[in-house]
Amino acid sequence: MFLFLALLDSLEEQEKFTELYNHYRHFMWYVANQKLQDAYLAEDAVQEAFFALIRHLDKVEDVYSPRTKKFLATIVRSKVVDILRKQKPEEEYSEELADQKGSADILEQYLTKENYNCLISCILELEDCYRVIFEYKYMYQLSDAQIGDILGISAKNVNIRYFRARKKLQKMIQKEGNRFERA
């Protein structure tokens, strides 16, 4: 923990970090260990998450709020995904983005109040590498550069993942819509 504290400038930041560390380290380890099923890798994920937290400590307003707990869980999950990715490298994706001009965006239609629950359930079904982008972007209002910094990827890669996640969500929502129309 002393290494983390040495990276912080002010006494106020050090105290906030110490509170976060003492209050959430076991919770974060538990979240990481659920996916990794390896205590040592889970510890590595937690350490990486705390390093990422140092860069974004200003995003934490109340140490004990549910929002902070979700934020930390999201960070540690993204570090778990990084560890898993290193174990099994994903296929390289081309970075071409399709042109969306002139097409109605089905996601915009589903942002209405009555479809909110359907949208949330679809987001939760996304793979972690896509779901975490939505969490950072909409729950914490982080920019692509900030998200990239937390995830250890470029802002452009964040944008690509966001684009792919939106495409997957659109397909999922269309399937949901078709299922409800048949019923």
Side-chain angles (χ1 to χ4, degrees):
M1 184 161 110
F2 294 111
L3 176 63
F4 296 124
L5 295 177
L7 296 172
L8 295 168
D9 296 329
S10 71
L11 183 60
E12 181 182 306
E13 287 178 332
Q14 290 175 350
E15 288 173 355
K16 181 191 278 188
F17 184 85
T18 302
E19 280 186 70
L20 288 164
Y21 184 87
N22 289 332
H23 190 72
Y24 292 108
R25 69 176 184 231
H26 297 294
F27 163 73
M28 293 170 69
W29 181 86
Y30 178 78
V31 169
N33 196 44
Q34 278 185 314
K35 285 274 190 181
L36 294 170
Q37 299 297 312
D38 182 316
Y40 297 109
L41 288 177
E43 187 64 34
D44 289 345
V46 170
Q47 296 299 316
E48 289 297 319
F50 278 119
F51 275 118
L53 175 64
I54 286 174
R55 292 189 303 272
H56 300 283
L57 197 56
D58 60 319
K59 302 284 186 266
V60 177
E61 294 171 13
D62 178 15
V63 171
Y64 303 103
S65 74
R67 181 181 170 114
T68 298
K69 187 174 184 177
K70 289 178 187 176
F71 183 61
L72 294 174
T74 301
I75 292 173
V76 79
R77 279 190 209 112
S78 71
K79 297 306 173 187
V80 165
V81 169
D82 290 345
I83 289 171
L84 292 172
R85 188 179 308 121
K86 287 176 186 173
Q87 290 177 342
K88 293 182 182 179
E90 293 180 19
E91 291 181 23
E92 291 296 320
Y93 296 108
S94 69
E95 295 187 3
E96 296 177 22
L97 297 176
D99 187 23
Q100 289 187 323
K101 293 179 184 172
S103 65
D105 189 355
I106 194 165
L107 289 181
E108 296 300 324
Q109 297 169 12
Y110 264 76
L111 291 178
T112 60
K113 193 172 187 176
E114 58 271 2
N115 294 314
Y116 178 78
N117 290 335
C118 177
L119 179 62
I120 295 300
S121 68
C122 289
I123 289 172
L124 292 174
E125 290 177 26
L126 286 172
E127 299 166 39
D128 284 345
C129 67
Y130 296 126
R131 181 186 43 74
V132 76
I133 299 291
F134 274 95
E135 287 180 15
Y136 284 139
K137 203 173 231 351
Y138 294 109
M139 287 178 62
Y140 304 107
Q141 290 87 36
L142 297 179
S143 68
D144 289 353
Q146 291 171 320
I147 296 169
D149 192 33
I150 292 171
L151 298 177
I153 59 177
S154 69
K156 184 175 182 180
N157 201 344
V158 169
N159 195 356
I160 290 168
R161 286 186 187 180
Y162 175 71
F163 174 79
R164 290 182 180 148
R166 285 178 59 95
K167 285 294 198 187
K168 287 180 181 247
L169 275 175
Q170 287 176 347
K171 288 179 184 177
M172 292 167 72
I173 290 169
Q174 285 174 339
K175 286 180 185 177
E176 288 290 317
N178 290 340
R179 191 174 71 184
F180 290 123
E181 287 174 7
R182 290 183 198 147

